Amino acid sequence: MTSVHTSALGQDGPTAVGTRKPGVPGGPPEPPERPIAWSMLSRALSVPLILGLVCFLPAVIAAQPGNGVRDTAYWLQLVLTCYAGARLATMILSTRRRLLQGVFWMFVYIAMGVAPFAQVVIGQTPTPMVGPRQDLVTAVAMVLVGCAAYDLGALLASRRPLRRRAPSARGSGGGPAVAHPLRLRLLVLLAFTASAFYVLKLGGPAVFFASRQEINETVAASGVVTEGSNVGSAFLKGFGQVPALLALLFYTRRLATSYRARRRPSTVLVWVALAALNLLVNNPISNARYWFLTVVVAFVFAAFPSSAAVYRTVLTAGVVGALVLFPYADRFRYEEGSQRSVQSTSVFDPLVTKDYDQMVMFANTISWVDTRGHTYGRQLAGSGLFFVPRAVWSGKPEDTGVRVGQWMGLRMTNLSAPLWTEFWVDLGAAGMIGGMALIGYGSARTDRRYALAVTRAGPGPGSVLAIAAPLIAGYTFILLRGPLLQAAGKLAIAALCLVAISTFRERRAGRRR
């Protein structure tokens, strides 16, 4: 038998909580099950939670007055909402924390389920639908099929045992990636240097507490944005924000899992300085709400790496926050006097007048593809090669949302392009199903690897995956909303930083930090 350890908050070392059989002979053990007391509490909460997500909320929306037509789109949207609600309830009540899958179903339930269902019932959408009603029916059906494909991919991943690579003869290259102490210090240095350049380039700290409109205008006037290309702006913002966040996450995990680290003034002072730096460059005033949501989710999961209660609270509170708070969280987006006023007579009105345009944009994209044809990988290639300037690649594709918005004749083209849409534009229904199945498979495998990383790691920063998974979980909101071209920059910078500080050498047992 193999002892399974977990790092508890406030302890200097791991604490044995039980034994389980290894997942495979010679491989790592599966994460331990939760205590019986919590299992009983989960069963007690399961009935009201499932009824609330699957039955009560959809019924309340269906009872709202409106001009919506109860046609095929209505019933498909109701099925999608209930399906996503049931899967979200499963994630919340699960005995294991599934970060990526939980955030995925939270997004689907709100942005592809509840909000579009309210739009169908009330008969109003945030963005006009230019195509026939049948395109909306197709969009809802394809999202539903894509969710089923995601579940299938996750199921296949759960059936495949996790295998650990055997160490090489030199004792390196066989273990999981861990943060190299010296490289982590270099990451901290990079964070302060890049963020300082970012702040100075934009004219000082004051602009970061003005508005998103003002900071975007400052970036445009800084000289890093060339005509027809935003690559310079993406790198300026990315390196000014991402290393600072990653460094904070690593030091947060170190303090959360190591009593020795909390007693070191140098470690605490570095964490305080990084926290202050992030309050400047990653604050909710000058940044998009989705990015700030990424910061919050990643920080919470890094600070409480083993807390099932925090995981469940994040998913549950996320639903409430998305319905009630998120539509009103852009009060700092515009300068005083140019801010959009929000007038609401119902809690569901913001869902049909503001941010949740994902489903209707999928329908509009289907209409656009019907007139222009599929791009057969061109859009995804543009997202993957986001760093190539348009001066070098004159035919570089624009954001999918921008292209569809221009085709629709809209002046404001900052529109969403959910992940289902990106696959549909390039590869059609077959590509969308395959792509969502791969996403589900990768999410489930990452969740299982993450569970092992936080349970078998001792004090200190530990496995790089213990930081990467919370960051990806928070960034999932941006990736799922799209467009991918806008989301690729910061994700690539984060991956570059994580690879740079990683080492694959096996840590010796009993080694102290």
Side-chain angles (χ1 to χ4, degrees), residues 192-468:
F192 282 106
T193 303
S195 295
F197 177 79
Y198 178 45
V199 172
L200 293 176
K201 190 69 175 179
L202 268 62
V207 71
F208 289 86
F209 298 96
S211 67
R212 283 179 56 195
Q213 179 181 349
E214 181 173 338
I215 200 170
N216 288 336
E217 292 173 354
T218 306
V219 170
S222 64
V224 298
V225 179
T226 59
E227 184 177 357
S229 177
N230 293 320
V231 173
S233 172
F235 277 111
L236 177 65
K237 286 187 175 182
F239 279 102
Q241 296 175 313
V242 174
L245 175 59
L246 283 174
L248 177 64
L249 295 180
F250 274 106
Y251 271 80
T252 297
R253 175 171 171 78
R254 171 175 288 181
L255 292 177
T257 59
S258 174
Y259 176 72
R260 185 188 299 272
R262 292 195 293 275
R263 297 189 63 184
R264 290 178 179 172
S266 59
T267 303
V268 175
L269 288 176
V270 171
W271 183 89
V272 171
L274 288 171
L277 181 64
N278 279 271
L279 287 176
L280 176 62
V281 299
N282 287 321
N283 68 76
I285 298 175
S286 58
N287 287 282
R289 290 163 294 166
Y290 280 97
W291 173 247
F292 183 70
L293 189 62
T294 299
V295 174
V296 172
V297 171
F299 178 81
V300 169
F301 285 145
F304 303 96
S306 302
S307 175
V310 169
Y311 163 75
R312 292 173 172 87
T313 300
V314 169
L315 295 186
T316 306
V319 175
V320 178
L323 288 172
V324 180
L325 300 178
F326 188 79
Y328 300 93
D330 63 345
R331 63 174 302 180
F332 299 110
R333 181 173 184 173
Y334 300 94
E335 295 178 353
E336 187 125 357
S338 63
Q339 184 175 325
R340 294 180 297 179
S341 61
V342 179
Q343 299 177 352
S344 176
T345 58
S346 169
V347 69
F348 299 110
D349 284 353
L351 302 183
V352 303
T353 59
K354 292 174 67 67
D355 303 284
Y356 298 105
D357 65 341
Q358 285 77 27
M359 189 64 75
V360 68
M361 281 304 298
F362 193 0
N364 287 329
T365 302
I366 292 174
S367 303
W368 176 66
V369 170
D370 287 343
T371 61
R372 301 295 182 92
H374 296 287
T375 53
Y376 300 105
R378 184 176 178 81
Q379 288 297 117
L380 292 175
S383 300
L385 300 175
F386 73 96
F387 52 87
V388 179
R390 296 189 184 277
V392 177
W393 184 3
S394 59
K396 181 180 178 180
E398 294 182 286
D399 293 328
T400 302
V402 171
R403 296 193 66 184
V404 177
Q406 292 173 344
W407 172 77
M408 294 169 60
L410 300 179
R411 295 181 58 186
M412 198 283 290
T413 57
N414 183 22
L415 304 170
S416 65
L419 193 58
W420 295 260
T421 299
E422 299 282 4
F423 289 131
W424 178 273
V425 167
D426 270 349
L427 304 170
M432 188 210 67
I433 294 172
M436 294 306 297
L438 288 175
I439 297 296
Y441 183 89
S443 298
R445 294 285 291 183
T446 302
D447 283 340
R448 294 177 67 194
R449 290 286 185 187
Y450 169 76
L452 290 173
V454 298
T455 54
R456 70 185 173 188
S463 170
V464 170
L465 185 59
I467 297 300

Side-chain angles (χ1 to χ4, degrees), residues 2-314:
T2 303
S3 295
V4 179
H5 296 76
T6 182
S7 296
L9 184 61
Q11 295 176 336
D12 193 21
T15 302
V17 297
T19 59
R20 286 177 58 86
K21 293 182 179 180
V24 293
E30 292 288 341
E33 297 290 346
R34 295 300 172 192
I36 297 177
W38 175 250
S39 299
M40 294 175 63
L41 182 60
S42 297
R43 287 195 292 268
L45 291 174
S46 61
V47 174
L49 180 63
I50 293 174
L51 288 178
L53 294 177
V54 179
C55 301
F56 178 74
L57 186 55
V60 171
I61 295 175
Q64 297 296 305
N67 301 320
V69 180
R70 300 200 173 190
D71 56 358
T72 305
Y74 172 92
W75 294 110
L76 282 175
Q77 190 65 67
L78 177 60
V79 171
L80 174 58
T81 304
C82 295
Y83 175 38
R87 296 298 291 125
L88 177 59
T90 301
M91 294 295 113
I92 296 175
L93 298 171
S94 173
T95 57
R96 294 174 184 149
R97 289 167 296 122
R98 296 177 170 92
L99 265 62
L100 273 64
Q101 296 175 80
V103 174
F104 173 86
W105 287 112
M106 182 171 65
F107 177 89
V108 172
Y109 182 66
I110 295 298
M112 311 303 286
V114 170
F117 186 50
Q119 295 164 15
V120 171
V121 170
I122 297 175
Q124 183 179 351
T125 57
T127 303
M129 191 175 69
V130 298
R133 181 77 170 183
Q134 182 58 39
D135 287 346
L136 179 61
V137 174
T138 303
V140 180
M142 287 297 100
V143 170
L144 188 57
V145 171
C147 288
Y150 180 93
D151 262 344
L152 177 60
L155 178 63
L156 293 176
S158 67
R159 301 302 181 189
R160 182 181 177 186
L162 294 177
R163 296 185 181 276
R164 189 177 181 179
R165 293 175 298 173
S168 64
R170 296 181 179 181
S172 63
V178 296
H180 190 282
L182 176 59
R183 297 176 191 176
L184 182 56
R185 296 188 185 97
L186 293 177
L187 175 65
V188 174
L189 180 62
L190 172 64
F192 282 106
T193 303
S195 295
F197 177 79
Y198 178 45
V199 172
L200 293 176
K201 190 69 175 179
L202 268 62
V207 71
F208 289 86
F209 298 96
S211 67
R212 283 179 56 195
Q213 179 181 349
E214 181 173 338
I215 200 170
N216 288 336
E217 292 173 354
T218 306
V219 170
S222 64
V224 298
V225 179
T226 59
E227 184 177 357
S229 177
N230 293 320
V231 173
S233 172
F235 277 111
L236 177 65
K237 286 187 175 182
F239 279 102
Q241 296 175 313
V242 174
L245 175 59
L246 283 174
L248 177 64
L249 295 180
F250 274 106
Y251 271 80
T252 297
R253 175 171 171 78
R254 171 175 288 181
L255 292 177
T257 59
S258 174
Y259 176 72
R260 185 188 299 272
R262 292 195 293 275
R263 297 189 63 184
R264 290 178 179 172
S266 59
T267 303
V268 175
L269 288 176
V270 171
W271 183 89
V272 171
L274 288 171
L277 181 64
N278 279 271
L279 287 176
L280 176 62
V281 299
N282 287 321
N283 68 76
I285 298 175
S286 58
N287 287 282
R289 290 163 294 166
Y290 280 97
W291 173 247
F292 183 70
L293 189 62
T294 299
V295 174
V296 172
V297 171
F299 178 81
V300 169
F301 285 145
F304 303 96
S306 302
S307 175
V310 169
Y311 163 75
R312 292 173 172 87
T313 300
V314 169

